[in-house]
Amino acid sequence: MRRAAARPVVCMSGDFSGRHGGQGLPGERRVLAVDPGREKSGLAVVDGTGRVHFQGVVHGEQELMARAEELARRFGVQELVVGESPWGRRLARQLEAESWVQRLGGVRWVAERGSTWAGRRLYWRQNPPRGLWRWVPTGLRVPPRPWDDCVAVVLAWRYLGLPETGT
């Protein structure tokens, strides 16, 4: 079966509209988390309280690099967090060469162990099933879209030392 051309799936949360210029309060900690993947990657901007300001999925390394820089600038991100994996190490080498990442002090790592399942649970909390799907056990349900953005949120929460259920 042939797949259609990959299009970005973006699920925005919080204040991405730019109403507040994207910048947080002075001194507010903002983290950009990346769940790296071969074909698609999840991005999330989370503040120190665990509030999600943006989450989305991008396809391809070029789009990831451009979108990450845009988000870091728009939301006043102070730290860049990448999931520790073979793809994460490869991505980190590319990111470390970028001037905006150097200004942030480089890439920080967070363990990915179990993050895919935690992201899947978060997806179903954010998008509760309806109708008869409510009665199907969570482990048997497959989200209708990639949930890498939810995994990035979980990685950010882990890095910030917050519970994986959010604030």
Side-chain angles (χ1 to χ4, degrees):
M1 182 161 108
R2 186 173 177 184
R3 286 179 38 181
R7 299 293 312 157
V9 177
V10 178
C11 170
M12 290 181 271
S13 297
D15 180 31
F16 189 65
S17 64
R19 288 178 300 199
H20 305 291
Q23 301 297 320
L25 297 171
E28 184 180 61
R29 185 178 184 190
R30 295 262 174 117
V31 173
L32 172 60
V34 180
D35 172 41
R38 185 179 318 171
E39 295 177 14
K40 60 191 177 325
S41 299
L43 294 169
V45 176
V46 179
D47 67 25
T49 65
R51 181 171 171 241
V52 178
H53 294 269
F54 172 87
Q55 64 183 88
V57 176
V58 294
H59 294 268
E61 290 179 19
Q62 290 179 347
E63 185 180 357
L64 171 65
M65 301 292 271
R67 189 66 161 182
E69 182 176 6
E70 173 196 345
L71 292 171
R73 186 176 50 254
R74 181 171 288 185
F75 288 102
V77 168
Q78 291 97 11
E79 298 173 90
L80 175 64
V81 177
V82 176
E84 196 169 9
S85 68
W87 283 105
R89 287 189 288 278
R90 183 173 181 266
L91 174 65
R93 283 194 298 272
Q94 294 175 349
L95 285 168
E96 291 283 356
E98 299 288 326
S99 60
W100 67 272
V101 175
Q102 293 170 4
R103 282 192 298 275
L104 295 178
V107 173
R108 282 125 176 124
W109 298 98
V110 65
E112 278 198 42
R113 185 178 183 105
S115 62
T116 299
W117 287 105
R120 190 171 168 162
R121 284 190 304 272
L122 176 60
Y123 173 87
W124 288 119
R125 276 198 309 273
Q126 291 177 345
N127 304 282
R130 295 187 174 137
L132 294 176
W133 283 107
R134 290 180 299 175
W135 305 109
V136 176
T138 306
L140 296 177
R141 287 188 238 132
V142 178
R145 67 163 185 84
W147 64 92
D148 300 74
D149 56 328
C150 296
V151 176
V153 170
V154 168
L155 294 176
W157 287 340
R158 283 183 183 179
Y159 178 75
L160 293 167
L162 299 171
E164 292 183 7
T165 56
T167 54

Short mmCIF file of all heavy atoms in Angstrom, two decimals, residues 4 25 29 32 34 51 62 69 87 93 101 111 114 119 140 144 152 159 161:
data_model
loop_
_atom_site.label_atom_id
_atom_site.label_comp_id
_atom_site.label_asym_id
_atom_site.label_seq_id
_atom_site.Cartn_x
_atom_site.Cartn_y
_atom_site.Cartn_z
N ALA A 4 0.41 8.39 1.04
CA ALA A 4 0.38 9.73 0.47
C ALA A 4 1.56 10.52 1.00
O ALA A 4 2.17 10.17 2.00
CB ALA A 4 -0.93 10.44 0.83
N LEU A 25 6.47 35.33 30.97
CA LEU A 25 6.73 36.32 32.00
C LEU A 25 8.23 36.37 32.26
O LEU A 25 8.93 35.37 32.07
CB LEU A 25 5.99 35.94 33.29
CG LEU A 25 4.47 35.91 33.18
CD1 LEU A 25 3.89 35.31 34.45
CD2 LEU A 25 3.93 37.29 32.93
N ARG A 29 10.53 29.90 33.17
CA ARG A 29 11.33 28.88 32.51
C ARG A 29 10.53 28.25 31.37
O ARG A 29 9.40 27.81 31.58
CB ARG A 29 11.72 27.83 33.54
CG ARG A 29 12.65 26.77 33.05
CD ARG A 29 12.98 25.84 34.19
NE ARG A 29 13.96 24.85 33.79
CZ ARG A 29 14.27 23.80 34.52
NH1 ARG A 29 13.69 23.61 35.69
NH2 ARG A 29 15.16 22.94 34.09
N LEU A 32 11.92 23.68 25.23
CA LEU A 32 11.51 23.11 23.95
C LEU A 32 11.97 21.66 23.96
O LEU A 32 13.17 21.39 24.04
CB LEU A 32 12.14 23.86 22.78
CG LEU A 32 11.96 23.25 21.39
CD1 LEU A 32 10.48 23.13 21.02
CD2 LEU A 32 12.70 24.06 20.35
N VAL A 34 12.03 17.80 22.20
CA VAL A 34 11.97 17.14 20.90
C VAL A 34 11.97 15.64 21.12
O VAL A 34 12.84 15.10 21.80
CB VAL A 34 13.17 17.52 20.01
CG1 VAL A 34 13.09 16.82 18.67
CG2 VAL A 34 13.27 19.02 19.83
N ARG A 51 2.74 23.70 32.11
CA ARG A 51 1.73 24.15 31.14
C ARG A 51 2.29 24.02 29.72
O ARG A 51 3.38 24.48 29.43
CB ARG A 51 1.35 25.60 31.41
CG ARG A 51 0.30 26.12 30.46
CD ARG A 51 -0.21 27.48 30.91
NE ARG A 51 -1.04 28.03 29.87
CZ ARG A 51 -0.78 29.16 29.23
NH1 ARG A 51 0.28 29.88 29.56
NH2 ARG A 51 -1.56 29.59 28.28
N GLN A 62 14.62 18.81 7.91
CA GLN A 62 14.65 20.23 7.56
C GLN A 62 13.50 20.98 8.23
O GLN A 62 13.69 22.07 8.77
CB GLN A 62 14.59 20.41 6.05
CG GLN A 62 15.85 19.97 5.35
CD GLN A 62 15.76 20.14 3.85
OE1 GLN A 62 14.68 20.38 3.31
NE2 GLN A 62 16.89 20.03 3.18
N GLU A 69 13.64 26.22 15.60
CA GLU A 69 14.20 27.57 15.75
C GLU A 69 13.09 28.60 15.88
O GLU A 69 13.14 29.51 16.72
CB GLU A 69 15.10 27.91 14.57
CG GLU A 69 15.74 29.26 14.70
CD GLU A 69 16.71 29.58 13.59
OE1 GLU A 69 16.82 28.80 12.63
OE2 GLU A 69 17.37 30.64 13.68
N TRP A 87 18.54 8.25 17.18
CA TRP A 87 18.11 9.37 16.34
C TRP A 87 18.30 10.69 17.07
O TRP A 87 18.59 11.71 16.46
CB TRP A 87 16.66 9.21 15.90
CG TRP A 87 16.55 8.22 14.80
CD1 TRP A 87 16.08 6.94 14.90
CD2 TRP A 87 16.96 8.39 13.44
NE1 TRP A 87 16.18 6.31 13.69
CE2 TRP A 87 16.72 7.17 12.78
CE3 TRP A 87 17.52 9.44 12.73
CZ2 TRP A 87 17.00 6.99 11.43
CZ3 TRP A 87 17.80 9.25 11.39
CH2 TRP A 87 17.54 8.05 10.75
N ARG A 93 23.74 16.34 17.09
CA ARG A 93 24.94 16.79 16.39
C ARG A 93 24.61 17.90 15.39
O ARG A 93 25.35 18.88 15.26
CB ARG A 93 25.60 15.61 15.67
CG ARG A 93 26.38 14.70 16.59
CD ARG A 93 27.28 13.75 15.83
NE ARG A 93 26.55 12.84 14.96
CZ ARG A 93 26.06 11.66 15.31
NH1 ARG A 93 26.21 11.24 16.56
NH2 ARG A 93 25.43 10.90 14.45
N VAL A 101 21.02 27.32 19.11
CA VAL A 101 21.16 26.25 20.11
C VAL A 101 22.37 26.55 21.00
O VAL A 101 22.32 26.33 22.21
CB VAL A 101 21.30 24.88 19.43
CG1 VAL A 101 21.58 23.78 20.45
CG2 VAL A 101 20.04 24.55 18.64
N ALA A 111 15.80 10.78 29.37
CA ALA A 111 15.59 9.36 29.05
C ALA A 111 14.25 9.17 28.35
O ALA A 111 13.24 9.72 28.78
CB ALA A 111 15.66 8.53 30.32
N GLY A 114 9.98 4.22 28.02
CA GLY A 114 8.56 4.23 28.34
C GLY A 114 7.82 5.47 27.90
O GLY A 114 6.62 5.60 28.15
N GLY A 119 3.18 8.89 26.26
CA GLY A 119 2.63 9.83 25.28
C GLY A 119 1.29 9.37 24.74
O GLY A 119 0.38 10.17 24.52
N LEU A 140 -5.80 -1.30 23.49
CA LEU A 140 -6.24 -1.81 22.19
C LEU A 140 -6.58 -0.69 21.20
O LEU A 140 -6.76 -0.95 20.02
CB LEU A 140 -7.46 -2.72 22.36
CG LEU A 140 -7.23 -3.99 23.16
CD1 LEU A 140 -8.53 -4.76 23.31
CD2 LEU A 140 -6.17 -4.85 22.50
N PRO A 144 -5.68 8.00 15.96
CA PRO A 144 -5.86 8.19 14.52
C PRO A 144 -4.80 9.06 13.86
O PRO A 144 -4.81 9.25 12.66
CB PRO A 144 -7.23 8.86 14.43
CG PRO A 144 -7.39 9.57 15.72
CD PRO A 144 -6.68 8.72 16.74
N ALA A 152 6.72 14.28 23.25
CA ALA A 152 7.59 15.43 23.53
C ALA A 152 7.15 16.15 24.81
O ALA A 152 7.99 16.59 25.60
CB ALA A 152 7.60 16.40 22.35
N TYR A 159 12.00 16.11 32.16
CA TYR A 159 13.17 16.97 32.33
C TYR A 159 12.94 17.99 33.46
O TYR A 159 13.84 18.29 34.22
CB TYR A 159 13.47 17.70 31.02
CG TYR A 159 14.63 18.65 31.13
CD1 TYR A 159 15.94 18.19 31.18
CD2 TYR A 159 14.42 20.02 31.23
CE1 TYR A 159 17.02 19.05 31.30
CE2 TYR A 159 15.48 20.90 31.36
CZ TYR A 159 16.77 20.41 31.40
OH TYR A 159 17.82 21.28 31.51
N GLY A 161 11.13 17.52 35.99
CA GLY A 161 10.90 16.84 37.26
C GLY A 161 9.44 16.85 37.68
O GLY A 161 9.14 16.73 38.87
#
